[in-house]
Amino acid sequence: GYSLAFTEGNGFFGVFDKTFLKGITVDSVAATFSKGVVVSELAYVIFQGAFAAITCGLIVGAFAERARFSAILVFMVVWFTLSYLPMAHMVWYWAGPDAYVDAAAGEAAGKTAGFLFQKGALDFAGGTVVHINAAIAGLVGAIVIGKRIGYGRESMAPHSLTFTMIGASLLWFGWFGFNAGSALEANGSAALAMVNTWVATACAALSWMLAEWLLKGKPSMLGAASGAVSGLVAITPAAGFVGPLGAIAIGLLAGIICLWGVNGLKRMIGADDSLDVFGVHGVGGVLGALLTGVFAAPSLGGTGVYDYVANKVGDYDMGAQLISQFWGVGTVIVWSGIVSFVAFKLVDLIIGLRVPEEEEREGLDITAHGESAYHY
């Protein structure tokens, strides 16, 4: 997988040269975003491996409690190969800054980059590659597999708000690693990404909580935790490109718009997305990816886009950047949607996606795995 995503091939896939990490040694290095600065390629491999793993894990939440374990494992292999790897290559693969020695060399290097990198789409830490990609797959899965038995009639609240809070807290802390780590260096860019991840998430937790308080009369911890995750998602593509004020704006908007995503939009679509993967990661990912094009503008406190040939920040064209961001968002929605639908249908034909009704009623922990979380 690493080889197909992060070697030079065409605009959509790399080649098999580094399969099973062939040729990557303790001395191998990977480019960063600064000329003359490199990191261990093995460190880069494991960092990218974490992104790849969490994206597959995200999808499952959309159809929890009703899907066949073996079917999901097979689906993941197909989806990962045909949706995750090309998206990672399209958005993140490039020759590295050292290739941009002059205009001619820069133009030649640019032609070897991924399709969306060439389009100029900015995604600092995975708004398109991870969040929208997984959310579309999850939504398609929830629709194809169907609703849980009793959905809409029986209470399906989280069984432990304590665990929800601990999980959200672990996510927030771990997210600093993803967003700040995406700078690939311990520098000002990493610090900016960390500060932005900090404030956007706090603002989204606040705006979701306040909006819910106004609408339902009570603020909830589940709402605040959901808001925090929506802020984490929305700031992910923007983290290293916007200033703190931009991050605050993105966070405040994310809390309110993702609250609509898990209520109004969810009702409009009519899918049983168990853990609101689409409402939070899909809606938040799209919002963050598009607003990156707005708040990356130096006039709004952003970093702009660096010109590696001129070795300075280039002139910023917000309209052109927004078109690039739309390219990123549109591509991942269509690509993941088609791959997911075909993969789910194929797996359903061969294995069957859904467990029998009596197994669903009894609970998959017991019927599929012979385990129970609690023994009374």
Side-chain angles (χ1 to χ4, degrees):
Y2 174 78
S3 188
L4 285 176
F6 294 104
T7 56
E8 185 183 320
N10 56 38
F12 304 96
F13 278 100
V15 291
F16 289 101
D17 292 3
K18 293 183 180 179
T19 304
F20 295 109
L21 306 188
K22 187 176 73 183
I24 300 176
T25 68
V26 292
D27 299 316
S28 301
V29 293
T32 61
F33 299 103
S34 302
K35 288 185 175 179
V37 180
V38 291
V39 292
S40 159
E41 188 167 10
L42 286 171
Y44 187 68
V45 167
I46 197 70
F47 183 62
Q48 285 295 344
F51 274 109
I54 198 70
T55 308
C56 293
L58 257 178
I59 297 169
V60 186
F63 41 78
E65 301 186 305
R66 58 207 190 265
R68 201 183 292 272
F69 186 62
S70 56
I72 295 312
L73 292 179
V74 175
F75 166 80
M76 283 305 166
V77 174
V78 176
W79 184 87
F80 172 79
T81 306
L82 297 177
S83 190
Y84 184 82
L85 296 178
M87 279 308 305
H89 184 81
M90 279 190 255
V91 174
W92 284 334
Y93 180 75
W94 67 314
D98 292 329
Y100 290 71
V101 286
D102 55 43
E107 192 176 334
K111 287 175 181 168
T112 67
F115 171 70
L116 290 170
F117 195 100
Q118 291 187 50
K119 290 282 184 193
L122 298 176
D123 185 353
F124 194 76
T128 52
V129 180
V130 177
H131 297 286
I132 305 173
N133 207 2
I136 294 296
L139 180 64
V140 171
I143 292 167
V144 171
I145 295 168
K147 298 174 183 177
R148 287 168 289 180
I149 295 164
Y151 178 73
R153 298 190 307 276
E154 299 165 20
S155 171
M156 293 183 175
H159 95 281
S160 171
L161 272 175
T162 309
F163 284 173
T164 301
M165 185 60 193
I166 293 168
S169 304
L170 286 169
L171 270 176
W172 193 337
F173 184 71
W175 221 291
F176 286 127
F178 275 130
N179 284 7
S182 289
L184 304 180
E185 302 169 62
N187 61 6
S189 177
L192 176 67
M194 197 162 187
V195 167
N196 286 340
T197 303
W198 186 46
V199 295
T201 308
C203 287
L206 189 67
S207 67
W208 184 306
M209 183 188 78
L210 291 174
E212 191 180 54
W213 202 344
L214 282 169
L215 293 167
K216 296 184 180 175
K218 288 192 173 96
S220 74
M221 195 180 71
L222 179 63
S226 302
V229 177
S230 71
L232 289 165
V233 170
I235 199 59
T236 290
F241 299 120
V242 304
L245 271 175
I248 287 169
I250 288 171
L252 290 171
L253 283 167
I256 294 164
I257 290 172
C258 291
L259 173 63
W260 168 75
V262 305
N263 289 301
L265 182 62
K266 187 175 184 175
R267 271 198 296 274
M268 284 159 60
I269 296 170
D272 175 13
D273 178 348
S274 311
L275 302 183
D276 292 313
V277 176
F278 181 74
V280 172
H281 296 269
V283 173
V286 169
L287 178 76
L290 297 179
L291 290 181
T292 300
V294 175
F295 290 108
S299 60
L300 295 175
T303 64
V305 179
Y306 199 77
D307 181 339
Y308 285 97
V309 174
N311 293 316
K312 65 182 180 65
V313 175
D315 296 327
Y316 195 80
D317 181 339
M318 190 184 292
Q321 191 57 55
L322 276 168
I323 290 168
S324 296
Q325 298 308 102
F326 271 106
W327 264 106
V329 169
T331 302
V332 67
I333 289 172
V334 173
W335 193 292
S336 183
I338 293 170
V339 170
S340 303
F341 184 74
V342 173
F344 277 122
K345 285 296 187 185
L346 278 174
V347 172
D348 197 21
L349 279 171
I350 298 161
I351 301 173
L353 280 170
R354 189 153 186 160
V355 298
E357 184 178 333
E358 61 274 13
E359 289 186 19
E360 186 181 335
R361 287 189 183 282
E362 194 174 344
L364 302 191
D365 50 351
I366 295 163
T367 59
H369 307 289
E371 296 171 321
S372 177
Y374 306 101
H375 294 282
Y376 297 107

